[in-house]
Amino acid sequence: MQSTDQILLRIFKLLSCLLITKVIVGVVLNYRDYLPPDFESDFLVGRESHFYGIYQWAFYAHVSSGPCSLLLGMVLVSDGFRRRFSGWHRRLGKLQTVNVVLFVTPSGLWMSLYADSGIAAGAGFAVLGIATAFSAVLGWQLAVRRQFNSHRRWMWRCFVLLCSAVVLRLIGGLTSAAGIESAWVYPLSAWLSWLMPLLACELIIRKSDARLKSVRPENAQ
């Protein structure tokens, strides 16, 4: 019989998947504003002066690779999928690493140079991109070395960092609903959107590791 903590965790995972799926669908539906670019649409307002050139290729790469990385991430962090389809887990894991390293991160880094609110927000997105690529590469290397426990930890970090796009929209919705309008809101959101989830992830990992250490001596007796 499942404990209350397990039931709450399952509910949290379900709600998180629904929220991520909603964001993915929202991004895809917004493609109609991007092809051709509508500079009256929310994200493209004020970007016409620097849109054409390298930025447009970075933008289109980001809005196509980003939703794919979230979708792949939901599949890859599923223990059930990994156990039942280990071969597909490996293939999709390689695809995810390539997608993050070659498309999501480089395009995000270039776009961070033109982030709203200037260098404060841009720096937050740039550090996020580097941390995401680092997590993906290290997670892949650990899998190659068959250090699967460490591999899972780093790929969870990678997925949590990718979910910053979801958290950023959530923060934006909450601040808008609360009527909070200030120049510092977006730069602060650019940092908090990934620092807060990453901190929560680290706390969960540490708690899980501590639980395993406390159980192992009993099993060893």
Side-chain angles (χ1 to χ4, degrees):
M1 188 173 180
Q2 290 185 329
S3 66
T4 302
D5 287 346
Q6 289 174 320
I7 294 173
L8 291 174
L9 181 60
R10 288 178 67 89
I11 293 173
F12 175 75
K13 286 181 177 180
L14 176 61
L15 292 175
S16 298
C17 287
L18 290 174
L19 181 59
I20 293 170
T21 302
K22 181 179 181 299
V23 169
I24 292 173
V25 172
V27 172
V28 172
L29 290 178
N30 283 337
Y31 284 172
R32 63 179 180 269
D33 295 328
Y34 305 151
L35 295 167
D38 177 7
F39 297 104
E40 298 299 321
S41 61
D42 288 341
F43 187 80
L44 293 181
V45 170
R47 300 180 188 275
E48 187 171 6
S49 61
H50 60 259
F51 184 83
Y52 295 103
I54 298 177
Y55 185 90
Q56 68 173 325
W57 300 113
F59 172 77
Y60 287 127
H62 203 69
V63 297
S64 56
S65 62
C68 291
S69 70
L70 288 173
L71 187 60
L72 285 170
M74 284 194 294
V75 174
L76 290 167
V77 297
S78 169
D79 289 333
F81 181 86
R82 174 174 54 81
R83 293 191 190 101
R84 294 178 186 178
F85 307 102
S86 58
W88 276 107
H89 178 85
R90 289 192 295 272
R91 295 185 191 99
L92 293 179
K94 293 176 182 177
L95 179 61
Q96 176 76 316
T97 302
V98 170
N99 185 42
V100 168
V101 173
L102 296 186
F103 297 100
V104 177
T105 294
S107 60
L109 287 174
W110 188 266
M111 291 176 65
S112 71
L113 298 174
Y114 303 90
D116 289 342
S117 303
I119 191 171
F125 292 130
V127 176
L128 165 63
I130 294 169
T132 306
F134 177 82
S135 299
V137 171
L138 185 56
W140 172 75
Q141 289 178 336
L142 288 166
V144 171
R145 298 172 190 167
R146 305 188 68 80
Q147 299 176 19
F148 295 120
N149 288 333
S150 296
H151 159 74
R152 281 191 285 273
R153 293 187 188 96
W154 279 101
M155 294 316 292
W156 261 108
R157 292 180 180 112
C158 179
F159 180 58
V160 166
L161 291 170
L162 288 169
C163 287
S164 62
V166 178
V167 180
L168 184 65
R169 285 166 173 78
L170 187 59
I171 293 174
L174 292 174
T175 54
S176 178
I180 302 174
E181 296 182 5
S182 176
W184 55 263
V185 171
Y186 191 71
L188 187 61
S189 299
W191 287 93
L192 292 181
S193 62
W194 61 272
L195 284 174
M196 289 193 304
L198 186 60
L199 176 60
C201 179
E202 291 301 322
L203 292 174
I204 293 171
I205 288 174
R206 288 178 180 274
K207 184 178 180 180
S208 177
D209 289 346
R211 188 186 300 116
L212 287 174
K213 288 179 180 178
S214 66
V215 170
R216 280 171 184 164
E218 296 178 4
N219 293 339
Q221 291 178 355

